[in-house]
Amino acid sequence: MTYCVGLLLDAGIVMLSDTRTNAGVDNIAIYRKMFVYEEPGERALVMLTSGNLSITQTVMAKLEHAIEDPEATGATSILLAETMLEIAEIVGRTLNEVSVAVGDRMSKMNQSVTALILLGGQRKGGQMRLFMIYPEGNFIEATEDTPYLQIGEHKYGKPILDRVVTRATSLEDGRKAVLLSMDSTLRSNLSVGMPLDLAIIHAGSCRIDRRERIMPGDPDFSAMSEAWSQALRDGFLNLP
């Protein structure tokens, strides 16, 4: 299981993922689920992955191979595509091709697998956009009414996003919101775990302006978690 969330704000994009993967209670490991690609000032892309690890790792390997291909074009490379929409289409095609290939093999063993990708970023001269890409290759996009997207174990972290996040939310408050959303998930589901990977893109910068890994026991995250818990307790006790 996993939890990944992306915010599309007027001020920029905030992306956060956990790193836990598991194939049973006694087979737990840490794998990076955030992948960053940028040409500073020209484009900045962040992808978060959830689902079957063999699918997501193969997709990312194929995307990176296409980037390094000397014959790459805007139709094949996410670093040459002209728009965020075209980038989403490249990622969608790749995810679909890998999902079909792996799915065919797994179906012969009476097993099924799936994967999802969140793609957020901006291309110079274009708008910031945030997509959720499905294994079929299609996608949906964050909107003014719903300025966030989640993949993985999303239900525990959704209430705070619904209550506090709007397009007008600042990047710092957005960072706080996704971390508290993750904190709620960590407390309620053991299959989601630290370290956490966070990335922020300021609107118009076309670069990764902030990237950090938050380790277990991080004092700032722990203080935020405890303060939020206390605020909830106090609010509950003060209800009529």
Side-chain angles (χ1 to χ4, degrees):
M1 189 53 73
T2 187
Y3 178 49
C4 301
V5 57
L7 307 184
L8 180 65
L9 311 173
D10 292 337
I13 288 174
V14 182
M15 307 281 279
L16 178 70
S17 71
D18 82 316
T19 55
R20 176 168 292 179
T21 64
N22 65 286
V25 295
D26 60 349
N27 187 12
I28 296 173
I30 293 174
Y31 282 95
R32 179 168 58 102
K33 303 171 188 176
M34 174 181 286
F35 300 86
V36 172
Y37 303 90
E38 66 175 327
E39 293 179 341
E42 199 278 328
R43 75 183 69 203
L45 310 171
V46 178
M47 279 183 266
L48 310 179
T49 64
S50 74
N52 182 267
L53 192 62
S54 67
I55 293 179
T56 57
Q57 287 193 340
T58 301
V59 168
M60 303 317 298
K62 285 181 172 291
L63 291 173
E64 291 171 7
H65 177 75
I67 291 172
E68 297 169 359
D69 185 351
E71 298 182 1
T73 68
T76 62
S77 171
I78 60 174
L79 292 187
L80 295 177
E82 289 295 323
T83 66
M84 284 298 301
L85 179 61
E86 292 175 4
I87 293 169
E89 289 174 340
I90 292 172
V91 176
R93 285 196 304 271
T94 307
L95 177 57
N96 177 248
E97 291 169 0
V98 175
S99 296
V100 169
V102 174
D104 286 345
R105 292 193 291 270
M106 297 297 288
S107 65
K108 296 175 182 177
M109 303 172 64
N110 295 318
Q111 298 182 28
S112 63
V113 293
T114 190
L116 294 167
I117 294 177
L118 286 188
L119 164 67
Q122 187 173 22
R123 169 81 165 81
K124 184 178 180 180
Q127 295 182 334
M128 295 182 302
R129 301 179 79 168
L130 175 64
F131 302 92
M132 180 192 297
I133 304 174
Y134 295 96
E136 294 81 7
N138 59 325
F139 45 80
I140 62 172
E141 188 170 2
T143 66
E144 186 77 26
D145 294 323
T146 306
Y148 69 86
L149 293 172
Q150 304 165 282
I151 54 177
E153 184 58 273
H154 63 273
K155 58 183 177 289
Y156 303 108
K158 189 174 187 294
I160 185 174
L161 302 179
D162 286 335
R163 289 179 181 274
V164 307
V165 175
T166 69
R167 285 292 294 265
T169 299
S170 69
L171 287 175
E172 191 55 40
D173 284 345
R175 176 183 180 275
K176 188 188 307 180
V178 297
L179 288 174
L180 291 176
S181 176
M182 181 66 75
D183 179 64
S184 298
T185 306
L186 292 170
R187 285 175 173 266
S188 299
N189 192 313
L190 293 177
S191 68
V192 177
M194 299 180 79
L196 311 177
D197 287 321
L198 182 131
I200 295 176
I201 304 171
H202 290 267
S205 74
C206 294
R207 70 179 69 243
I208 308 300
D209 295 286
R210 182 172 182 175
R211 188 177 183 187
E212 56 184 303
R213 170 158 281 199
I214 300 169
M215 302 299 295
D218 179 87
D220 292 334
F221 182 78
S222 298
M224 178 185 295
S225 174
E226 179 52 38
W228 179 241
S229 295
Q230 187 61 52
L232 290 174
R233 288 192 291 268
D234 291 344
F236 176 78
L237 294 174
N238 290 330
L239 284 173

